[in-house]
């Protein structure tokens, strides 16, 4: 079970890293336009490229988890990514997280505990 939790934790970190990097990169792109200049910025932004690498690595990790473990166990554990995402938004994007979201995180943690148990 510990191996599965570690696998899902790693996959969740990759998933959240991909989304955080994507958020950072789209903010760097500037105003959207259908121009070569805009798409040159998109495809030469390292945060965007790293976002894709994290997403693909997370997908491969997810495929491994689906192949080797029961879906009814693996899929609920993926909710760990909500917790990691909330903390990442606070740490890396300087977002203010209201108390109600932290309460939601506690409820998710309790739910994940019961799924693993």
């Amino acid at each position: 079970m510990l191996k599965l939790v570690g696998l899902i934790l790693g996959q969740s970190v990759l998933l959240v890293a991909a989304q955080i990097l994507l958020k950072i990169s789209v903010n760097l792109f500037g105003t959207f336009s259908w121009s070569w200049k805009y798409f040159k910025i998109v495809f030469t932004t390292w945060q965007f490229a790293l976002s894709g690498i994290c997403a693909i690595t997370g997908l491969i990790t997810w495929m491994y988890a689906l192949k080797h473990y029961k879906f009814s166990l693996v899929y609920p554990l993926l909710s760990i990514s909500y917790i990691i995402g909330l903390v990442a938004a606070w740490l890396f994007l300087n977002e203010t997280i209201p108390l109600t979201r932290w309460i939601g995180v506690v409820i998710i943690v309790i739910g994940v505990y019961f799924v693993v148990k």
Side-chain angles (χ1 to χ4, degrees):
M1 182 60 70
L2 195 56
K3 181 180 176 183
L4 173 60
V5 171
L7 188 67
I8 295 300
L9 188 62
Q11 193 272 342
S12 295
V13 167
L14 287 166
L15 176 71
V16 171
Q19 297 304 315
I20 292 289
L21 288 163
L22 186 60
K23 169 74 173 166
I24 291 168
S25 61
V26 296
N27 288 338
L28 295 173
F29 296 162
T31 305
F32 177 80
S33 68
W34 289 103
S35 67
W36 290 112
K37 181 181 177 185
Y38 179 80
F39 285 100
K40 181 182 176 194
I41 293 169
V42 169
F43 292 111
T44 58
T45 303
W46 68 267
Q47 292 92 338
F48 184 69
L50 189 55
S51 172
I53 291 168
C54 287
I56 290 168
T57 307
L59 174 64
I60 292 167
T61 306
W62 180 242
M63 290 167 58
Y64 178 87
L66 288 175
K67 182 172 178 70
H68 293 91
Y69 298 96
K70 291 183 178 183
F71 184 80
S72 62
L73 178 62
V74 175
Y75 195 74
L77 287 177
L78 190 59
S79 63
I80 292 171
S81 63
Y82 294 125
I83 301 162
I84 297 168
L86 193 71
V87 172
W90 176 64
L91 286 175
F92 300 112
L93 302 175
N94 298 315
E95 293 185 6
T96 302
I97 311 298
L99 179 62
T100 53
R101 287 194 201 133
W102 289 114
I103 292 169
V105 164
V106 170
I107 292 169
I108 290 170
V109 169
I110 292 167
V112 169
Y113 172 78
F114 283 118
V115 168
V116 172
K117 212 57 178 156

